[in-house]
Amino acid sequence: MQLTIPKGFFMGAAMSGPQTEGAYKKDHRLESFWDHWSDLSVSDFYNKVGSYVGNDFYERYEEDIKLFKSLHLDSFRTSIQWTRLMDQDQKLNPEGAAFYHKVCACAKENDIELFMNLYHFDMPYYLFARGGWENREVVEAYAVYARTAFREFGKEIRYWFTFNEPIVEPDQEYRHGAWYPFLKDEKRGMQVQYHIALAHSLAVREFRKAKEEGYLLKDAQIGLINAFAPPYTKEDPTPEDLEALRMTDGIHNRWWLDLSTSGTLPGDVLETLKACGMAPEMRPGDEEILKCGRVDWLGFNYYQPTRVQAPKEKVDEAGYPKFADPYIWPERRMNVYRGWEIYPKGIYDFGMKMKREYPDMKFFISENGMGVEHEDRFRNEEGEIQDDYRIEFVQDHLEWVMKAIEEGANCVGYHYWGVIDNWSWSNAFKNRYGFIEVDLMGNYQRKLKKSAHWVKALIERRDGIG
Ligand code: BGP
Protein backbone atom coordinates (compact mmCIF):
# COMPACT_ATOMS: atom_id res chain seq x y z
CA MET A 1 0.00 0.00 0.00
CA GLN A 2 1.34 3.42 -0.92
CA LEU A 3 1.87 5.67 2.09
CA THR A 4 0.24 9.09 1.96
CA ILE A 5 0.41 11.85 4.53
CA PRO A 6 -2.28 14.47 5.08
CA LYS A 7 -2.07 18.02 3.75
CA GLY A 8 -0.79 20.48 6.35
CA PHE A 9 1.02 17.73 8.28
CA PHE A 10 4.55 19.02 9.08
CA MET A 11 7.31 16.95 7.49
CA GLY A 12 10.69 18.15 8.57
CA ALA A 13 14.15 17.66 9.96
CA ALA A 14 15.30 17.42 13.56
CA MET A 15 18.79 18.42 14.57
CA SER A 16 20.58 20.26 17.38
CA GLY A 17 23.17 23.02 17.69
CA PRO A 18 25.82 21.04 19.58
CA GLN A 19 25.64 18.12 17.14
CA THR A 20 25.89 20.13 13.95
CA GLU A 21 27.41 23.59 14.31
CA GLY A 22 31.06 22.86 15.03
CA ALA A 23 33.02 26.14 15.12
CA TYR A 24 33.37 25.49 18.82
CA LYS A 25 35.76 28.33 19.57
CA LYS A 26 34.49 30.81 17.04
CA ASP A 27 33.08 34.22 17.88
CA HIS A 28 33.66 33.92 21.61
CA ARG A 29 31.54 30.84 22.11
CA LEU A 30 31.96 29.51 25.66
CA GLU A 31 33.21 26.04 26.51
CA SER A 32 30.37 23.53 26.86
CA PHE A 33 30.03 20.47 29.03
CA TRP A 34 30.86 18.41 25.91
CA ASP A 35 34.00 20.37 25.04
CA HIS A 36 35.22 19.93 28.57
CA TRP A 37 34.62 16.18 28.55
CA SER A 38 36.26 15.91 25.11
CA ASP A 39 39.36 17.75 26.36
CA LEU A 40 39.47 15.65 29.49
CA SER A 41 39.24 12.24 27.82
CA VAL A 42 38.74 12.18 24.07
CA SER A 43 39.11 8.41 23.98
CA ASP A 44 35.64 8.18 25.57
CA PHE A 45 34.34 9.24 22.14
CA TYR A 46 34.06 6.90 19.16
CA ASN A 47 37.22 7.14 17.03
CA LYS A 48 38.36 9.91 19.37
CA VAL A 49 36.08 12.44 17.71
CA GLY A 50 35.14 14.97 20.39
CA SER A 51 32.46 17.63 20.42
CA TYR A 52 34.36 20.21 18.39
CA VAL A 53 33.34 19.74 14.79
CA GLY A 54 29.64 18.90 14.45
CA ASN A 55 28.86 18.49 10.77
CA ASP A 56 30.01 21.99 9.80
CA PHE A 57 26.53 23.54 9.91
CA TYR A 58 28.03 26.83 11.11
CA GLU A 59 29.66 27.25 7.71
CA ARG A 60 27.12 25.37 5.62
CA TYR A 61 23.77 26.43 7.07
CA GLU A 62 22.67 28.02 3.78
CA GLU A 63 23.52 24.95 1.76
CA ASP A 64 21.78 22.70 4.30
CA ILE A 65 18.59 24.75 4.44
CA LYS A 66 18.49 24.80 0.65
CA LEU A 67 18.92 21.04 0.67
CA PHE A 68 15.93 20.72 3.01
CA LYS A 69 14.00 22.90 0.61
CA SER A 70 15.02 20.77 -2.37
CA LEU A 71 13.52 17.73 -0.61
CA HIS A 72 10.33 19.76 0.10
CA LEU A 73 10.81 19.52 3.86
CA ASP A 74 8.62 22.29 5.29
CA SER A 75 10.17 22.72 8.73
CA PHE A 76 13.26 21.97 10.77
CA ARG A 77 14.23 22.08 14.40
CA THR A 78 17.59 23.02 15.72
CA SER A 79 18.72 24.50 19.02
CA ILE A 80 20.41 27.67 20.11
CA GLN A 81 23.57 26.85 22.02
CA TRP A 82 23.56 28.60 25.38
CA THR A 83 27.35 28.71 25.03
CA ARG A 84 27.06 30.64 21.79
CA LEU A 85 24.31 33.08 22.67
CA MET A 86 25.46 34.17 26.11
CA ASP A 87 28.67 35.25 27.77
CA GLN A 88 29.80 34.33 31.28
CA ASP A 89 28.21 37.47 32.72
CA GLN A 90 24.88 36.20 31.41
CA LYS A 91 24.73 38.90 28.76
CA LEU A 92 24.05 38.40 25.08
CA ASN A 93 27.07 37.61 22.90
CA PRO A 94 26.31 39.68 19.76
CA GLU A 95 28.52 37.51 17.54
CA GLY A 96 26.67 34.37 18.59
CA ALA A 97 23.33 36.11 18.12
CA ALA A 98 24.37 37.17 14.61
CA PHE A 99 24.76 33.53 13.58
CA TYR A 100 21.24 32.58 14.71
CA HIS A 101 19.80 35.67 13.04
CA LYS A 102 21.36 34.45 9.79
CA VAL A 103 19.84 31.00 10.27
CA CYS A 104 16.40 32.53 10.92
CA ALA A 105 16.66 34.73 7.84
CA CYS A 106 17.76 31.85 5.65
CA ALA A 107 14.88 29.63 6.84
CA LYS A 108 12.47 32.45 6.06
CA GLU A 109 13.91 33.06 2.59
CA ASN A 110 13.45 29.39 1.82
CA ASP A 111 9.96 29.34 3.25
CA ILE A 112 10.84 26.78 5.89
CA GLU A 113 9.33 26.97 9.37
CA LEU A 114 12.01 27.03 12.04
CA PHE A 115 11.35 25.21 15.32
CA MET A 116 13.81 26.54 17.88
CA ASN A 117 14.81 24.64 20.97
CA LEU A 118 16.76 26.25 23.81
CA TYR A 119 18.59 23.34 25.36
CA HIS A 120 19.87 20.03 24.01
CA PHE A 121 22.05 18.52 26.79
CA ASP A 122 24.58 21.34 26.32
CA MET A 123 25.31 23.19 29.50
CA PRO A 124 28.01 25.88 29.52
CA TYR A 125 30.92 24.32 31.37
CA TYR A 126 31.37 27.17 33.87
CA LEU A 127 27.83 26.46 35.11
CA PHE A 128 28.40 22.73 35.18
CA ALA A 129 31.47 23.40 37.34
CA ARG A 130 29.19 25.23 39.79
CA GLY A 131 27.04 22.14 40.23
CA GLY A 132 25.06 22.16 36.99
CA TRP A 133 21.39 21.28 37.39
CA GLU A 134 21.96 20.41 41.05
CA ASN A 135 22.41 24.11 41.73
CA ARG A 136 19.34 26.37 41.89
CA GLU A 137 21.42 29.29 40.58
CA VAL A 138 21.82 27.43 37.31
CA VAL A 139 18.02 27.12 37.11
CA GLU A 140 17.82 30.91 37.47
CA ALA A 141 20.59 31.41 34.90
CA TYR A 142 18.63 29.30 32.41
CA ALA A 143 15.61 31.58 32.86
CA VAL A 144 17.80 34.61 32.09
CA TYR A 145 19.11 32.87 28.97
CA ALA A 146 15.55 31.97 27.85
CA ARG A 147 14.35 35.55 28.40
CA THR A 148 17.29 36.90 26.39
CA ALA A 149 16.55 34.50 23.51
CA PHE A 150 12.81 35.34 23.44
CA ARG A 151 13.56 39.06 23.32
CA GLU A 152 16.30 38.74 20.71
CA PHE A 153 14.54 36.39 18.27
CA GLY A 154 10.91 36.93 19.23
CA LYS A 155 9.88 38.33 15.87
CA GLU A 156 11.78 35.70 13.87
CA ILE A 157 10.71 32.41 15.46
CA ARG A 158 7.17 31.10 15.83
CA TYR A 159 7.74 27.68 17.42
CA TRP A 160 9.83 27.53 20.58
CA PHE A 161 10.83 24.64 22.84
CA THR A 162 12.37 24.78 26.28
CA PHE A 163 14.17 21.43 26.40
CA ASN A 164 14.93 18.38 24.33
CA GLU A 165 14.55 15.13 26.30
CA PRO A 166 14.96 16.56 29.81
CA ILE A 167 15.13 13.00 31.14
CA VAL A 168 18.46 12.30 29.43
CA GLU A 169 20.85 14.28 31.62
CA PRO A 170 19.48 12.94 34.94
CA ASP A 171 19.65 9.43 33.44
CA GLN A 172 22.95 9.48 31.57
CA GLU A 173 25.01 11.70 33.87
CA TYR A 174 23.56 10.96 37.31
CA ARG A 175 21.76 7.60 37.32
CA HIS A 176 23.32 5.26 34.78
CA GLY A 177 26.89 6.52 34.86
CA ALA A 178 27.02 6.52 31.06
CA TRP A 179 28.16 10.13 30.51
CA TYR A 180 30.62 12.29 32.37
CA PRO A 181 30.74 12.62 35.41
CA PHE A 182 29.63 8.95 35.37
CA LEU A 183 27.55 9.02 38.55
CA LYS A 184 25.19 6.31 39.72
CA ASP A 185 23.18 8.18 42.26
CA GLU A 186 19.39 7.98 41.95
CA LYS A 187 18.81 10.65 44.58
CA ARG A 188 20.98 13.25 42.89
CA GLY A 189 19.39 12.24 39.58
CA MET A 190 15.96 13.01 41.04
CA GLN A 191 17.12 16.44 42.24
CA VAL A 192 18.47 17.22 38.79
CA GLN A 193 15.23 16.07 37.18
CA TYR A 194 13.25 18.28 39.55
CA HIS A 195 15.41 21.32 38.87
CA ILE A 196 15.03 20.83 35.13
CA ALA A 197 11.24 20.76 35.64
CA LEU A 198 11.56 24.11 37.43
CA ALA A 199 13.85 25.52 34.73
CA HIS A 200 11.34 24.50 32.07
CA SER A 201 8.52 26.17 34.00
CA LEU A 202 10.49 29.39 34.52
CA ALA A 203 11.25 29.51 30.79
CA VAL A 204 7.56 29.08 29.92
CA ARG A 205 6.78 31.89 32.38
CA GLU A 206 9.35 34.09 30.62
CA PHE A 207 7.77 33.18 27.29
CA ARG A 208 4.28 34.22 28.44
CA LYS A 209 5.69 37.45 29.83
CA ALA A 210 7.61 38.21 26.63
CA LYS A 211 4.40 37.65 24.68
CA GLU A 212 2.44 40.04 26.87
CA GLU A 213 5.19 42.60 26.48
CA GLY A 214 5.01 42.35 22.70
CA TYR A 215 8.41 40.75 22.07
CA LEU A 216 6.95 37.67 20.36
CA LEU A 217 4.89 36.91 17.29
CA LYS A 218 1.19 36.91 18.13
CA ASP A 219 0.83 33.24 17.21
CA ALA A 220 4.12 32.12 18.81
CA GLN A 221 3.91 28.82 20.69
CA ILE A 222 5.99 27.14 23.33
CA GLY A 223 6.49 23.41 23.75
CA LEU A 224 8.52 20.70 25.39
CA ILE A 225 10.18 17.81 23.61
CA ASN A 226 10.61 14.53 25.42
CA ALA A 227 11.58 10.93 24.79
CA PHE A 228 8.13 9.64 25.66
CA ALA A 229 9.14 5.98 25.37
CA PRO A 230 5.92 4.05 25.98
CA PRO A 231 6.61 1.51 28.73
CA TYR A 232 5.53 -2.12 28.51
CA THR A 233 5.89 -5.09 30.83
CA LYS A 234 5.33 -8.84 30.48
CA GLU A 235 2.12 -10.03 28.88
CA ASP A 236 1.07 -11.77 32.07
CA PRO A 237 2.39 -9.36 34.72
CA THR A 238 2.59 -9.82 38.48
CA PRO A 239 1.53 -6.90 40.72
CA GLU A 240 5.28 -6.20 41.17
CA ASP A 241 5.75 -5.92 37.40
CA LEU A 242 2.85 -3.46 37.28
CA GLU A 243 4.44 -1.47 40.07
CA ALA A 244 7.68 -1.31 38.07
CA LEU A 245 5.63 -0.06 35.13
CA ARG A 246 3.92 2.62 37.24
CA MET A 247 7.19 4.12 38.47
CA THR A 248 8.93 3.89 35.07
CA ASP A 249 6.02 5.58 33.34
CA GLY A 250 5.79 8.02 36.26
CA ILE A 251 9.42 9.18 36.15
CA HIS A 252 9.94 9.07 32.39
CA ASN A 253 6.60 10.13 30.94
CA ARG A 254 3.97 11.31 33.42
CA TRP A 255 6.48 13.58 35.19
CA TRP A 256 6.77 15.66 32.00
CA LEU A 257 3.23 15.10 30.71
CA ASP A 258 1.58 16.26 33.94
CA LEU A 259 3.95 19.20 34.18
CA SER A 260 3.34 20.33 30.62
CA THR A 261 -0.42 19.76 30.59
CA SER A 262 -1.47 20.73 34.11
CA GLY A 263 1.52 22.37 35.77
CA THR A 264 1.92 19.69 38.43
CA LEU A 265 4.12 16.66 39.08
CA PRO A 266 2.55 13.21 39.51
CA GLY A 267 1.50 12.88 43.16
CA ASP A 268 1.84 9.08 43.31
CA VAL A 269 5.45 9.29 42.09
CA LEU A 270 6.36 11.99 44.62
CA GLU A 271 4.77 9.93 47.40
CA THR A 272 6.77 6.83 46.51
CA LEU A 273 9.94 8.91 46.33
CA LYS A 274 9.21 10.46 49.71
CA ALA A 275 8.56 7.08 51.30
CA CYS A 276 12.00 5.88 50.26
CA GLY A 277 13.94 9.05 51.05
CA MET A 278 14.50 10.00 47.43
CA ALA A 279 12.19 12.98 47.08
CA PRO A 280 13.89 16.08 45.68
CA GLU A 281 14.30 19.14 47.88
CA MET A 282 11.46 21.55 47.14
CA ARG A 283 11.17 25.13 48.30
CA PRO A 284 8.13 27.16 49.29
CA GLY A 285 6.82 28.85 46.16
CA ASP A 286 7.93 26.07 43.82
CA GLU A 287 4.36 24.91 43.26
CA GLU A 288 3.55 28.31 41.80
CA ILE A 289 6.53 28.07 39.45
CA LEU A 290 5.57 24.57 38.29
CA LYS A 291 2.05 25.81 37.50
CA CYS A 292 3.65 27.91 34.75
CA GLY A 293 4.96 24.72 33.11
CA ARG A 294 1.87 24.20 30.92
CA VAL A 295 2.78 24.38 27.24
CA ASP A 296 0.97 24.88 23.94
CA TRP A 297 2.07 21.61 22.39
CA LEU A 298 4.50 18.72 22.78
CA GLY A 299 7.18 16.98 20.81
CA PHE A 300 7.46 13.21 21.10
CA ASN A 301 10.88 11.70 20.28
CA TYR A 302 10.50 8.02 19.58
CA TYR A 303 13.19 5.46 18.89
CA GLN A 304 12.36 2.47 21.05
CA PRO A 305 9.93 1.31 23.72
CA THR A 306 10.90 0.80 27.36
CA ARG A 307 10.22 -2.72 28.62
CA VAL A 308 10.43 -3.33 32.33
CA GLN A 309 9.71 -5.92 34.99
CA ALA A 310 9.90 -6.13 38.77
CA PRO A 311 13.50 -5.64 39.96
CA LYS A 312 15.41 -8.71 41.18
CA GLU A 313 17.23 -6.70 43.85
CA LYS A 314 15.30 -4.29 46.06
CA VAL A 315 18.16 -1.77 46.21
CA ASP A 316 20.90 -0.66 43.81
CA GLU A 317 24.68 -0.57 44.43
CA ALA A 318 24.40 2.77 46.22
CA GLY A 319 21.63 1.48 48.50
CA TYR A 320 18.75 3.35 46.83
CA PRO A 321 15.49 1.50 46.14
CA LYS A 322 15.25 0.02 42.66
CA PHE A 323 11.97 0.47 40.86
CA ALA A 324 12.45 -1.75 37.79
CA ASP A 325 14.72 -4.07 35.81
CA PRO A 326 14.80 -4.17 32.03
CA TYR A 327 12.62 -6.82 30.43
CA ILE A 328 13.80 -8.46 27.20
CA TRP A 329 10.78 -9.18 25.05
CA PRO A 330 11.39 -12.56 23.34
CA GLU A 331 9.98 -11.28 20.02
CA ARG A 332 11.98 -8.11 19.86
CA ARG A 333 13.59 -6.87 16.63
CA MET A 334 16.77 -4.86 17.05
CA ASN A 335 18.71 -2.07 15.43
CA VAL A 336 21.95 -3.90 16.21
CA TYR A 337 24.16 -0.88 15.49
CA ARG A 338 22.51 1.27 18.14
CA GLY A 339 21.32 -1.56 20.39
CA TRP A 340 17.77 -0.21 20.33
CA GLU A 341 14.60 -2.21 19.78
CA ILE A 342 12.61 -1.37 16.65
CA TYR A 343 8.92 -1.34 17.51
CA PRO A 344 6.93 0.99 15.23
CA LYS A 345 3.64 0.26 16.98
CA GLY A 346 4.94 2.13 20.05
CA ILE A 347 4.30 5.38 18.22
CA TYR A 348 0.63 4.44 17.80
CA ASP A 349 0.30 3.30 21.42
CA PHE A 350 1.65 6.65 22.58
CA GLY A 351 -0.75 8.49 20.26
CA MET A 352 -3.64 6.56 21.81
CA LYS A 353 -2.38 7.29 25.34
CA MET A 354 -2.37 11.00 24.43
CA LYS A 355 -5.87 10.79 23.03
CA ARG A 356 -7.18 9.03 26.15
CA GLU A 357 -5.32 10.86 28.89
CA TYR A 358 -4.38 14.27 27.46
CA PRO A 359 -6.97 14.83 24.71
CA ASP A 360 -6.50 18.60 24.54
CA MET A 361 -2.79 18.51 23.90
CA LYS A 362 -1.57 18.44 20.32
CA PHE A 363 1.81 16.91 19.58
CA PHE A 364 4.16 16.03 16.77
CA ILE A 365 6.74 13.32 16.34
CA SER A 366 9.80 15.44 16.97
CA GLU A 367 12.42 12.73 16.42
CA ASN A 368 12.45 9.28 14.90
CA GLY A 369 15.29 7.77 12.96
CA MET A 370 17.63 4.90 12.30
CA GLY A 371 21.38 5.07 12.88
CA VAL A 372 23.47 2.52 10.96
CA GLU A 373 27.20 1.79 11.06
CA HIS A 374 29.47 1.44 8.00
CA GLU A 375 26.96 2.62 5.44
CA ASP A 376 29.72 2.52 2.82
CA ARG A 377 28.78 -1.13 2.32
CA PHE A 378 25.54 -0.05 0.72
CA ARG A 379 26.90 2.17 -2.07
CA ASN A 380 25.76 1.43 -5.63
CA GLU A 381 27.98 1.87 -8.69
CA GLU A 382 27.21 5.58 -8.83
CA GLY A 383 28.38 5.90 -5.23
CA GLU A 384 24.95 6.52 -3.70
CA ILE A 385 24.11 4.80 -0.41
CA GLN A 386 21.12 2.50 -0.93
CA ASP A 387 19.57 2.76 2.53
CA ASP A 388 16.44 0.69 1.95
CA TYR A 389 16.48 -0.27 5.66
CA ARG A 390 15.95 3.42 6.53
CA ILE A 391 13.10 3.81 4.06
CA GLU A 392 11.43 0.75 5.55
CA PHE A 393 11.97 2.10 9.08
CA VAL A 394 10.40 5.49 8.33
CA GLN A 395 7.57 4.01 6.30
CA ASP A 396 6.67 1.54 9.10
CA HIS A 397 6.63 4.29 11.71
CA LEU A 398 4.68 6.72 9.56
CA GLU A 399 2.05 4.07 8.85
CA TRP A 400 1.44 3.74 12.59
CA VAL A 401 1.33 7.54 12.92
CA MET A 402 -1.33 7.69 10.21
CA LYS A 403 -3.36 4.98 11.94
CA ALA A 404 -3.18 6.92 15.23
CA ILE A 405 -4.39 10.07 13.44
CA GLU A 406 -7.26 8.17 11.81
CA GLU A 407 -8.27 6.98 15.26
CA GLY A 408 -8.28 10.49 16.71
CA ALA A 409 -4.73 11.25 17.89
CA ASN A 410 -3.94 14.96 17.63
CA CYS A 411 -0.59 14.47 15.89
CA VAL A 412 0.36 17.30 13.55
CA GLY A 413 3.74 16.38 12.13
CA TYR A 414 6.84 14.23 11.85
CA HIS A 415 10.48 15.33 12.03
CA TYR A 416 13.11 12.80 11.05
CA TRP A 417 16.19 12.82 13.28
CA GLY A 418 19.42 13.58 11.61
CA VAL A 419 18.26 14.33 8.03
CA ILE A 420 21.93 15.20 7.51
CA ASP A 421 24.44 12.85 9.24
CA ASN A 422 25.64 14.46 12.45
CA TRP A 423 27.77 14.03 15.55
CA SER A 424 26.09 11.69 18.05
CA TRP A 425 27.50 12.47 21.50
CA SER A 426 29.91 9.77 22.67
CA ASN A 427 29.09 7.72 19.55
CA ALA A 428 30.42 10.61 17.44
CA PHE A 429 29.96 9.60 13.77
CA LYS A 430 29.67 5.84 14.40
CA ASN A 431 26.00 5.50 13.44
CA ARG A 432 24.73 7.57 10.55
CA TYR A 433 21.09 8.69 10.58
CA GLY A 434 20.88 10.94 7.53
CA PHE A 435 18.89 10.94 4.35
CA ILE A 436 21.93 12.98 3.38
CA GLU A 437 25.46 11.70 3.84
CA VAL A 438 28.32 13.76 5.23
CA ASP A 439 31.69 12.83 3.78
CA LEU A 440 34.11 13.16 6.67
CA MET A 441 37.09 12.48 4.41
CA GLY A 442 35.86 15.00 1.85
CA ASN A 443 35.53 18.21 3.79
CA TYR A 444 32.00 17.47 5.07
CA GLN A 445 30.58 17.38 1.58
CA ARG A 446 26.85 16.47 1.46
CA LYS A 447 25.51 13.68 -0.81
CA LEU A 448 21.96 12.38 -1.10
CA LYS A 449 21.19 8.80 -0.10
CA LYS A 450 18.38 6.78 -1.66
CA SER A 451 16.08 7.68 1.26
CA ALA A 452 16.34 11.39 0.34
CA HIS A 453 14.63 10.72 -3.01
CA TRP A 454 12.04 8.59 -1.25
CA VAL A 455 11.08 11.26 1.27
CA LYS A 456 10.97 13.90 -1.46
CA ALA A 457 8.49 11.79 -3.45
CA LEU A 458 6.41 11.20 -0.31
CA ILE A 459 6.05 14.95 0.30
CA GLU A 460 5.32 15.58 -3.37
CA ARG A 461 2.35 13.21 -3.05
CA ARG A 462 1.16 15.16 0.01
CA ASP A 463 1.35 18.39 -1.93
CA GLY A 464 0.02 16.99 -5.19
CA ILE A 465 3.17 17.92 -7.11
CA GLY A 466 5.74 15.90 -9.06
C1 BGP B 1 17.98 11.49 20.90
C2 BGP B 1 18.65 12.83 20.99
C3 BGP B 1 19.40 13.24 19.77
C4 BGP B 1 20.07 12.11 19.01
C5 BGP B 1 19.23 10.85 18.95
C6 BGP B 1 19.94 9.63 18.39
O1 BGP B 1 17.83 10.95 22.17
O2 BGP B 1 17.69 13.84 21.24
O3 BGP B 1 20.30 14.24 20.16
O4 BGP B 1 21.37 11.98 19.33
O5 BGP B 1 18.72 10.52 20.22
O6 BGP B 1 20.72 9.02 19.37
P1 BGP B 1 22.28 8.79 19.24
O7 BGP B 1 22.82 10.02 18.63
O8 BGP B 1 22.78 8.58 20.61
O9 BGP B 1 22.45 7.59 18.37
Side-chain angles (χ1 to χ4, degrees):
M1 201 183 62
Q2 199 176 49
L3 173 68
T4 45
I5 49 176
K7 282 213 173 2
F9 180 82
F10 284 119
M11 275 297 289
M15 48 188 256
S16 79
Q19 292 174 272
T20 60
E21 285 175 21
Y24 78 114
K25 279 193 173 160
K26 247 192 166 154
D27 300 332
H28 299 99
R29 176 181 171 275
L30 302 177
E31 187 187 35
S32 76
F33 162 89
W34 292 97
D35 306 332
H36 178 80
W37 180 11
S38 301
D39 281 350
L40 201 68
S41 178
V42 80
S43 45
D44 292 345
F45 296 81
Y46 182 77
N47 273 350
K48 299 191 180 169
V49 176
S51 60
Y52 321 121
V53 289
N55 67 10
D56 204 25
F57 181 74
Y58 198 78
E59 301 300 334
R60 292 174 179 266
Y61 70 92
E62 277 186 283
E63 177 188 345
D64 286 354
I65 292 172
K66 283 187 181 141
L67 267 173
F68 293 158
K69 177 81 184 163
S70 74
L71 300 181
H72 307 308
L73 297 168
D74 51 41
S75 45
F76 80 97
R77 165 172 63 109
T78 188
S79 64
I80 292 176
Q81 293 194 71
W82 190 347
T83 48
R84 202 180 284 294
L85 191 69
M86 304 294 277
D87 68 17
Q88 284 215 26
D89 298 322
Q90 298 188 42
K91 298 271 178 305
L92 184 97
N93 166 8
E95 292 164 289
F99 170 67
Y100 297 112
H101 282 301
K102 286 192 289 186
V103 172
C104 292
C106 186
K108 192 168 181 203
E109 264 164 43
N110 286 283
D111 202 18
I112 293 189
E113 197 71 64
L114 178 57
F115 291 23
M116 192 56 99
N117 175 33
L118 289 173
Y119 188 86
H120 203 119
F121 322 149
D122 57 333
M123 179 161 297
Y125 180 68
Y126 79 98
L127 292 174
F128 186 78
R130 292 182 194 167
W133 291 121
E134 286 183 276
N135 181 347
R136 282 287 281 233
E137 282 170 30
V138 171
V139 174
E140 303 290 337
Y142 174 77
V144 173
Y145 157 55
R147 182 192 314 144
T148 310
F150 296 142
R151 290 183 172 202
E152 182 70 18
F153 302 102
K155 296 290 183 202
E156 292 157 74
I157 294 166
R158 180 167 292 107
Y159 299 115
W160 291 89
F161 298 91
T162 56
F163 280 85
N164 176 76
E165 298 189 356
I167 192 71
V168 164
E169 282 187 288
D171 271 358
Q172 297 288 83
E173 294 163 22
Y174 293 86
R175 292 183 177 120
H176 304 157
W179 286 355
Y180 181 77
F182 312 111
L183 302 173
K184 287 190 177 174
D185 190 322
E186 284 283 342
K187 190 167 162 61
R188 286 173 72 179
M190 232 31 254
Q191 189 65 48
V192 164
Q193 176 158 342
Y194 177 68
H195 279 165
I196 296 179
L198 284 178
H200 157 82
S201 308
L202 284 176
V204 179
R205 188 164 84 182
E206 290 295 342
F207 176 87
R208 306 275 179 230
K209 230 194 277 169
K211 205 171 200 180
E212 265 172 41
E213 291 167 354
Y215 286 106
L216 302 181
L217 296 173
K218 284 213 169 55
D219 55 352
Q221 297 194 10
I222 185 98
L224 170 72
I225 288 174
N226 198 31
F228 288 115
Y232 302 91
T233 186
K234 296 170 178 165
E235 272 162 28
D236 191 11
T238 62
E240 291 76 21
D241 292 327
L242 293 175
E243 178 57 11
L245 196 65
R246 177 183 72 85
M247 278 308 277
T248 305
D249 191 34
I251 290 178
H252 287 255
N253 298 317
R254 287 188 292 122
W255 184 277
W256 308 107
L257 282 166
D258 288 4
L259 174 66
S260 56
T261 57
S262 62
T264 56
L265 297 173
D268 64 301
V269 173
L270 290 175
E271 253 170 52
T272 305
L273 292 172
K274 229 181 259 162
C276 55
M278 277 172 54
E281 187 200 318
M282 299 175 176
R283 293 189 186 169
D286 281 3
E287 264 180 37
E288 287 308 305
I289 297 176
L290 293 171
K291 271 189 199 150
C292 304
R294 268 183 292 229
V295 295
D296 304 319
W297 66 331
L298 288 171
F300 165 36
N301 290 357
Y302 181 65
Y303 293 89
Q304 57 166 346
T306 304
R307 297 190 191 274
V308 294
Q309 58 185 333
K312 276 208 186 69
E313 311 289 337
K314 289 244 171 324
V315 288
D316 66 15
E317 297 158 35
Y320 292 116
K322 257 186 128 183
F323 299 122
D325 273 350
Y327 168 61
I328 311 272
W329 185 40
E331 290 166 49
R332 74 178 184 169
R333 189 158 64 94
M334 293 296 286
N335 169 355
V336 290
Y337 313 102
R338 188 59 184 83
W340 284 347
E341 183 182 336
I342 300 179
Y343 187 66
K345 181 171 176 285
I347 223 163
Y348 164 83
D349 289 344
F350 182 79
M352 292 297 104
K353 177 185 170 78
M354 288 300 289
K355 182 189 155 186
R356 265 190 326 269
E357 296 170 28
Y358 306 91
D360 299 329
M361 183 56 72
K362 73 175 172 182
F363 67 96
F364 75 112
I365 309 301
S366 39
E367 284 185 30
N368 177 235
M370 188 181 190
V372 170
E373 212 174 335
H374 304 309
E375 284 200 303
D376 257 342
R377 287 173 287 167
F378 303 109
R379 275 187 212 287
N380 66 9
E381 281 173 7
E382 287 75 47
E384 185 182 84
I385 292 173
Q386 303 298 292
D387 52 348
D388 294 274
Y389 41 87
R390 181 166 292 113
I391 296 173
E392 189 190 329
F393 180 95
V394 179
Q395 163 123 9
D396 287 353
H397 283 83
L398 272 172
E399 278 171 5
W400 282 107
V401 174
M402 294 309 133
K403 185 169 159 58
I405 293 173
E406 271 162 35
E407 293 179 25
N410 197 359
C411 176
V412 298
Y414 175 96
H415 278 185
Y416 181 80
W417 172 259
V419 162
I420 302 176
D421 288 344
N422 63 25
W423 182 78
S424 277
W425 315 116
S426 52
N427 277 334
F429 281 94
K430 173 175 170 284
N431 302 313
R432 305 299 189 94
Y433 283 85
F435 296 147
I436 298 166
E437 175 191 357
V438 168
D439 183 357
L440 291 185
M441 307 309 281
N443 194 27
Y444 301 98
Q445 212 188 324
R446 277 55 170 151
K447 293 182 195 162
L448 300 189
K449 303 181 195 175
K450 184 176 176 183
S451 53
H453 307 293
W454 176 84
V455 80
K456 181 176 181 202
L458 175 71
I459 305 174
E460 282 175 351
R461 285 203 297 280
R462 177 195 69 183
D463 297 342
I465 50 177

